[in-house]
């Protein structure tokens, strides 16, 4: 039976494989997993750098890999086979992994979040973050299965978080930002704390839903659209100087560089617009 279950999950994506793990370990009725199961768990840690904890349909710990213990900064003595799910969450909350809130209050919040996800059809994964005592940042994904079993997947995003925070700080201090748009599917991402701090709530809403277009000076819109179309149709970068309008600070002069995102076959899939505020004369000396 174990072999057939592994075959069933071996040709699907990572999430499906993770979702099938509790079912695999349940064959052992909660006892120590067979070597093949242990190898599967170790593979997630060694090859994908994913920590995994499997819970049975009655939400008792079935198995986990060493990567999970490393990420959670705990030991096998503290995470035991048969341990209750909420006991595990409460121990982490008491240590402060989720913040300064009352541990019992946090456990109740987790309970409500998980129950809400279970009421969806099919059940939705529960996403979250944790900060370990060392400062390690984890991204968590709880995969809920129709048989009431659960898989907790852990990813160390410390380096990614530091990189993101450093980039935001650098952009804020230098008066820069970016606007990223992809075509298929249509999606927009805007990042510029420096600019947002000089805007009203109405302008911030426009910025984050429509990009820079509604905030450009009317006289500069034709030039901006020409640059956009040049990048999209020819796949070539273009740099222009334009004005942004703010209710609180008037016009802002900006240098905007439009860069296409191109596939190996030459198809333009998106545009990245990087801009810098050059209103301050000190920023115009190049």
């Amino acid at each position: 039976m174990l072999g057939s279950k592994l075959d069933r999950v071996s040709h699907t994506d990572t999430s499906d494989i993770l979702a099938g793990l509790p079912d695999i370990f349940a064959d052992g009725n909660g006892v120590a997993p067979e070597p093949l199961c242990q190898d599967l768990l170790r593979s997630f840690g060694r090859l994908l750098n994913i920590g995994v904890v499997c819970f049975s349909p009655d939400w008792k710990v079935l198995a986990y890999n060493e990567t999970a213990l490393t990420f959670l900064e705990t030991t096998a003595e503290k995470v035991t086979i048969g341990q209750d799910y909420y006991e595990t969450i409460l121990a982490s909350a008491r240590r402060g992994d989720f913040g300064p809130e009352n541990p019992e209050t946090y456990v109740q919040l987790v309970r409500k979040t998980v129950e809400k996800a279970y009421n969806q059809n099919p059940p939705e994964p529960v996403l979250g973050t944790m900060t370990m005592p060392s400062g390690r940042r984890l991204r968590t994904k709880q995969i809920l299965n129709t048989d009431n079993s659960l898989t907790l997947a852990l990813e160390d995003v410390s380096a990614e978080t530091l990189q993101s925070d450093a980039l935001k700080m650098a952009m804020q201090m230098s008066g820069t930002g970016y606007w990223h748009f992809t075509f298929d599917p249509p999606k927009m991402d805007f990042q510029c704390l420096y600019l947002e701090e000089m805007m009203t709530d109405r302008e911030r809403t426009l910025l984050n839903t429509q990009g820079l277009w509604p905030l450009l000076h009317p006289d500069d819109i034709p030039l901006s659209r020409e640059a956009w179309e040049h990048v999209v149709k020819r796949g070539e970068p273009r740099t222009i100087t334009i004005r942004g309008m703010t209710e609180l600070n008037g016009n802002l002069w900006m240098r905007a560089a439009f860069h296409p995102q191109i596939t190996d076959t030459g198809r333009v899939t998106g545009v990245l617009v990087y801009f810098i505020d050059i209103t301050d004369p000190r920023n115009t000396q190049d």
Side-chain angles (χ1 to χ4, degrees):
M1 182 179 292
L2 177 59
S4 65
K5 288 183 178 179
L6 285 175
D7 288 340
R8 188 172 70 242
V9 300
S10 61
H11 301 294
T12 55
D13 63 25
T14 301
S15 292
D16 289 338
I17 295 174
L18 287 170
L21 286 176
D23 191 31
I24 293 172
F25 286 104
D27 281 354
N29 295 317
V31 300
E34 298 179 37
L36 190 58
C37 296
Q38 293 175 329
D39 288 343
L40 182 60
L41 275 183
R42 278 195 291 266
S43 294
F44 276 101
R46 294 174 180 176
L47 300 178
L48 303 176
N49 203 32
I50 295 176
V52 181
V53 183
C54 299
F55 295 87
S56 63
D58 59 351
W59 287 27
K60 307 292 184 183
V61 174
L62 281 174
Y64 49 81
N65 59 12
E66 288 294 326
T67 304
L69 296 182
T70 300
F71 285 176
L72 293 171
E73 299 179 2
T74 188
T75 63
E77 289 75 22
K78 295 181 179 179
V79 182
T80 59
I81 302 301
Q83 180 173 304
D84 181 74
Y85 169 80
Y86 288 111
E87 288 180 9
T88 307
I89 297 295
L90 181 58
S92 294
R94 285 174 174 166
R95 195 173 64 170
D97 295 354
F98 304 103
E101 294 82 4
N102 181 284
E104 284 74 14
T105 300
Y106 186 84
V107 171
Q108 291 302 317
L109 176 61
V110 171
R111 190 186 301 274
K112 290 180 180 179
T113 302
V114 172
E115 288 177 353
K116 180 179 179 181
Y118 257 130
N119 289 330
Q120 304 298 318
N121 188 21
E124 294 182 351
V126 178
L127 307 178
T129 58
M130 297 173 63
T131 302
M132 298 297 98
S134 68
R136 184 196 306 266
R137 296 293 297 276
L138 300 179
R139 180 183 294 133
T140 65
K141 184 175 184 178
Q142 298 182 72
I143 302 171
L144 312 171
N145 305 303
T146 53
D147 67 347
N148 210 47
S149 63
L150 180 149
T151 305
L152 171 63
L154 306 161
E155 180 185 6
D156 187 344
V157 293
S158 303
E160 177 184 327
T161 302
L162 177 61
Q163 208 171 40
S164 176
D165 291 345
L167 176 61
K168 290 178 181 178
M169 183 181 297
M171 289 193 299
Q172 187 173 15
M173 294 182 66
S174 60
T176 59
Y178 69 84
W179 177 27
H180 181 213
F181 190 87
T182 55
F183 301 126
D184 187 20
K187 182 180 178 182
M188 186 189 71
D189 180 31
F190 185 90
Q191 183 63 248
C192 187
L193 293 176
Y194 169 84
L195 195 57
E196 290 185 30
E197 289 178 349
M198 295 190 292
M199 293 183 169
T200 63
D201 290 341
R202 184 189 71 84
E203 290 173 323
R204 292 190 195 98
T205 299
L206 287 174
L207 195 65
N208 287 290
T209 56
Q210 301 180 44
L212 287 172
W213 298 114
L215 303 174
L216 292 179
H217 192 287
D219 293 345
D220 294 337
I221 290 180
L223 176 64
S224 301
R225 294 200 178 279
E226 179 186 348
W228 180 274
E229 292 175 2
H230 176 89
V231 172
V232 173
K233 292 180 179 179
R234 298 191 180 186
E236 299 173 348
R238 175 66 68 88
T239 301
I240 59 176
T241 300
I242 52 179
R243 287 164 291 179
M245 300 185 301
T246 65
E247 296 177 8
L248 300 178
N249 293 275
N251 291 342
L252 300 174
W253 284 96
M254 296 182 293
R255 192 70 173 160
F258 294 68
H259 285 266
Q261 290 188 303
I262 305 175
T263 65
D264 292 339
T265 59
R267 183 170 64 92
V268 177
T269 60
V271 177
L272 176 64
V273 183
Y274 178 83
F275 54 89
I276 180 170
D277 178 10
I278 59 172
T279 306
D280 190 326
R282 291 173 297 179
N283 292 337
T284 61
Q285 300 174 8
D286 187 3

